[in-house]
Amino acid sequence: MKIIRTGTSADAGVHAARIVAALVRDKPAAVLGLATGSSPMPLYEALAHEDLDLSQVRGFSLDEYLGLGSTHKHSYAQVIQREVIDRLGLTPSLIHTPDGQAPDAAREARDFDARIRAAGGIDIQILGIGSNGHLAFNEPPSSFTSRTRVVELADSTRKDNARFFDSLEDVPTHAITQGMGTISEARHLLLIAHDLRKAEAAARAIEGPVTEDFPASMIQLHPHVTVVLDEAAASALQHS
Ligand code: GLP
């Protein structure tokens, strides 16, 4: 595992963006795993400043709230449209987010996994980390072999994410998420964390016991991981 410690969140974004840019220069039709939330935003901002044609890049979002359609202002599909597709000049038809309003959500989840496989798998999976150690919406405990599926959100996650909604009641209770097994099949995991509120979670993911009770600790089992941290998020590391 490679740990990159940087100064600010913007610096972390620049380092992470360089890794993605190098891949796309080498492989213009690369497959990216796309995260939402505040963690990857500095990466997307920095990537927009790279001199790079991203129009052939294919992408798969990590997760989506159950019940929110792709046009709902708080859906992850909208966040991906706004923050990633529009900003980076990606081709909308090449970017896939689970449909939170699919009539059969379990089937939508299975099909999503199949679509990732059909694309040849994910080259770089961009990841944030939840304060409770979740990756995507894989709440503790989550099996390391789990596939894309419907999950119930932890109360702490709904509270964490309430800042993106008008009220806590508006935060959906369920989501479709790539599974831990799905995520671990990506060829390169690129985890980005900034802010003091992520310091404890980052330290447990990198240095703590590997356990399904703290899903992000799975990264210790993966052969190709880069973690980019700003100074605050790196502040609880003991050995790295
Ligand atoms: C959210 C998302 C995750 C994200 C995490 C951290 O609930 N489902 O994919 O990585 O929680 O969010 P943030 O980056 O806003 O702190």
Side-chain angles (χ1 to χ4, degrees):
M1 184 183 327
K2 183 172 180 187
I3 317 268
I4 301 175
R5 300 170 71 138
T6 66
T8 65
S9 60
D11 297 333
V14 169
H15 278 272
R18 275 190 203 137
I19 293 169
V20 176
L23 167 72
V24 176
R25 284 198 181 96
D26 196 46
K27 184 178 179 185
V31 182
L32 296 182
L34 300 167
T36 52
S38 52
S39 304
M41 291 307 146
L43 186 168
Y44 299 138
E45 274 159 33
L47 197 54
H49 291 109
E50 292 276 338
D51 181 22
L52 197 62
D53 176 8
L54 290 146
S55 62
Q56 294 179 59
V57 163
R58 295 166 290 162
F60 290 90
S61 304
L62 271 177
D63 44 14
E64 178 61 285
Y65 289 111
L66 201 66
L68 302 195
S70 61
T71 57
H72 190 286
K73 65 176 175 174
H74 295 311
S75 70
Y76 282 165
Q78 276 295 305
V79 176
I80 292 289
Q81 179 71 45
R82 214 171 40 238
E83 305 289 348
V84 187
I85 297 176
D86 293 347
R87 180 184 280 180
L88 300 177
L90 301 186
T91 303
S93 60
L94 300 180
I95 309 302
H96 308 280
T97 300
D99 179 0
Q101 281 192 320
D104 182 343
R107 182 179 181 164
E108 168 69 6
R110 281 196 304 275
D111 289 352
F112 197 74
D113 245 30
R115 288 205 287 275
I116 294 175
R117 259 187 241 115
I122 289 173
D123 291 304
I124 291 184
Q125 175 62 62
I126 298 164
L127 293 168
I129 182 172
S131 51
N132 66 352
H134 73 216
L135 290 182
F137 274 134
N138 292 282
E139 305 284 21
S142 278
S143 162
F144 286 162
T145 60
S146 54
R147 310 304 310 177
T148 303
R149 67 202 188 289
V150 176
V151 292
E152 185 172 2
L153 303 185
D155 287 344
S156 62
T157 296
R158 293 187 64 242
K159 281 184 193 132
D160 278 354
N161 290 3
R163 67 189 193 279
F164 297 114
F165 290 81
D166 296 332
S167 72
L168 179 58
E169 290 66 47
D170 290 341
V171 184
T173 55
H174 291 74
I176 298 176
T177 184
Q178 281 193 36
M180 294 300 295
T182 314
I183 292 169
S184 64
E185 283 164 12
R187 287 180 275 282
H188 184 179
L189 302 182
L190 176 58
L191 189 146
I192 178 164
H194 45 87
D195 208 271
L196 201 52
R197 72 188 175 93
K198 293 299 172 68
E200 196 59 44
R204 284 183 70 183
I206 295 164
E207 299 178 336
V210 176
T211 165
E212 292 176 343
D213 289 331
F214 198 79
S217 63
M218 172 275 279
I219 64 172
Q220 296 180 42
L221 302 175
H222 193 282
H224 191 184
V225 179
T226 306
V227 183
V228 188
L229 303 169
D230 75 353
E231 202 179 340
S235 61
L237 292 175
Q238 304 283 321
H239 316 290
S240 317

